[in-house]
């Protein structure tokens, strides 16, 4: 038996998410089908975490176990030949059987992109806004996120998570042309957490809230007091970190 790790990029626009579901295309399902054809085994790859419908990934990680003796380079070429155009495998590596894409992960980094104004080319990968934003206020608000906090105000409550605490190591905004870009890195993320954070901070950037509201939301933990959930189209999983990576 061998352990194999995949580094995966995908355009999530036409998927109902990562995880296999009863209806709709999923990234996990497409990978499972390709692995079955290539290795002639029923394999269900395990991802580092679920991504929602419409969310993209530049550095998703998955693992699986196989009896196949195929070289990793053959797996790389074979999978890319079998997978649809909206999924790409960047690396295939043999790993210890104890490696787990989700439970071995130490931290993750996400990027959220906002495009000011209408864009035909970027509509699948950004949140198009027509409201001016003050990046200074947004950066001030994001500074309060760093550290270990209770993020119950910034997550989907159905189902209720077992643990609301997350450690955030970086949370920063920058502007590039007509885009506002948010990057956040932490040890774990709750469902819809990044999108709710972005939706709340956009309200701060458009002068509907104060940057200090983030402090109160982290303390009070009420979802109904936070902002709306930003669209999935702007969210990108950048990288999953493991020991020695």
């Amino acid at each position: 038996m061998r352990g194999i790790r995949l580094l995966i990029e995908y355009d999530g626009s036409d998927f109902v998410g990562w995880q296999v579901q009863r209806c709709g295309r999923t990234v996990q399902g497409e990978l499972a089908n390709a692995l079955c054809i290539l290795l002639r085994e029923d394999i269900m790859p395990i991802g580092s975490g679920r991504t929602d419908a419409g969310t993209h990934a530049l550095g998703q990680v998955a693992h699986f176990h196989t009896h196949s003796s195929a070289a990793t380079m053959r797996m790389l070429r074979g999978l890319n030949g079998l997978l649809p155009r909206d999924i790409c495998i960047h690396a295939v590596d043999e790993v210890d059987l104890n490696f787990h894409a989700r439970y071995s992960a130490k931290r993750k980094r996400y990027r959220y992109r906002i495009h000011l104004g209408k864009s035909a080319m970027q509509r699948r990968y950004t949140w198009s806004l027509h409201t001016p934003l003050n990046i200074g206020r947004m950066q001030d608000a994001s500074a309060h996120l760093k550290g270990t906090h209770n993020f119950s105000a910034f997550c989907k409550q159905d189902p209720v998570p077992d643990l609301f605490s997350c450690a955030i190591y970086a949370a920063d905004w920058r502007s590039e042309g007509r885009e506002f870009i948010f990057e956040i890195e932490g040890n774990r993320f709750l469902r819809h957490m990044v999108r709710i954070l972005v939706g709340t901070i956009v309200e701060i950037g458009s002068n509907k809230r104060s940057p200090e509201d983030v402090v109160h939301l982290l303390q009070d933990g009420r979802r109904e007091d936070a902002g709306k959930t930003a669209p999935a189209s702007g969210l990108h999983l950048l990288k999953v970190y493991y020991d020695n990576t």
Side-chain angles (χ1 to χ4, degrees), residues 14 20-22 36-37 50 62 64-65 87 104-105 114 137 147 149 152 159 169 174 180 200 224:
D14 298 324
V20 167
Q21 300 178 36
R22 291 183 179 180
C36 180
I37 294 170
R50 305 172 185 177
F64 63 90
H65 294 162
I87 304 177
S104 299
I114 294 173
R137 289 171 58 85
H149 304 285
S152 57
Y169 310 124
R174 68 179 186 273
F180 279 57
T200 305
E224 58 268 31

Side-chain angles (χ1 to χ4, degrees), residues 22-244:
R22 291 183 179 180
C23 299
R25 293 177 71 222
T26 66
V27 181
Q28 188 182 39
E30 294 283 4
L31 285 168
N33 290 337
L35 287 167
C36 180
I37 294 170
L38 181 66
L39 303 180
R40 299 183 180 180
E41 296 178 57
D42 289 330
I43 294 172
M44 186 60 68
I46 306 300
S48 69
R50 305 172 185 177
T51 50
D52 297 326
T55 297
H56 317 288
L58 296 173
Q60 174 68 287
V61 174
H63 83 274
F64 63 90
H65 294 162
T66 179
H67 294 285
S68 172
S69 60
T72 54
M73 185 55 67
R74 178 179 169 240
M75 292 185 195
L76 177 66
R77 292 195 298 264
L79 287 172
N80 279 327
L82 290 166
L83 288 165
R85 291 186 297 175
D86 45 9
I87 304 177
C88 174
I89 306 299
H90 284 298
V92 178
D93 299 297
E94 190 157 355
V95 292
D96 189 276
L97 287 172
N98 290 325
F99 174 84
H100 194 286
R102 179 182 177 187
Y103 299 126
S104 299
K106 300 302 181 184
R107 62 190 194 277
K108 295 180 181 178
R109 189 173 189 91
Y110 284 91
R111 174 183 293 158
Y112 196 96
R113 296 170 56 193
I114 294 173
H115 188 277
L116 296 183
K118 184 177 179 180
S119 173
M121 296 296 292
Q122 298 300 324
R123 62 185 174 80
R124 291 163 66 97
Y125 310 109
T126 62
W127 179 14
S128 292
L129 282 179
H130 301 273
T131 303
L133 297 175
N134 183 319
I135 196 169
R137 289 171 58 85
M138 295 163 75
Q139 186 68 358
D140 288 345
S142 298
H144 297 303
L145 300 176
K146 298 173 186 177
T148 300
H149 304 285
N150 180 320
F151 283 89
S152 57
F154 299 101
C155 76
K156 186 173 182 179
Q157 301 288 324
D158 181 22
V160 177
D162 295 329
L163 178 66
F164 289 106
S165 179
C166 303
I168 300 301
Y169 310 124
D172 299 287
W173 288 88
R174 68 179 186 273
S175 59
E176 295 181 1
R178 298 183 64 81
E179 281 197 15
F180 279 57
I181 299 170
F182 178 57
E183 291 196 8
I184 184 168
E185 187 173 306
N187 69 329
R188 61 191 297 269
F189 291 89
L190 306 174
R191 191 174 183 192
H192 292 183
M193 176 174 154
V194 178
R195 293 166 58 194
I196 298 171
L197 284 170
V198 169
T200 305
I201 294 171
V202 160
E203 292 181 3
I204 293 169
S206 56
N207 296 311
K208 295 179 181 177
R209 292 176 178 265
S210 164
E212 285 68 37
D213 280 0
V214 170
V215 177
H216 303 314
L217 288 166
L218 291 171
Q219 292 172 346
D220 296 340
R222 302 205 314 168
R223 171 65 188 97
E224 58 268 31
D225 293 336
K228 69 177 183 179
T229 304
S233 56
L235 185 60
H236 308 250
L237 173 59
L238 285 187
K239 187 172 182 179
V240 185
Y241 295 86
Y242 298 90
D243 286 335
N244 302 320

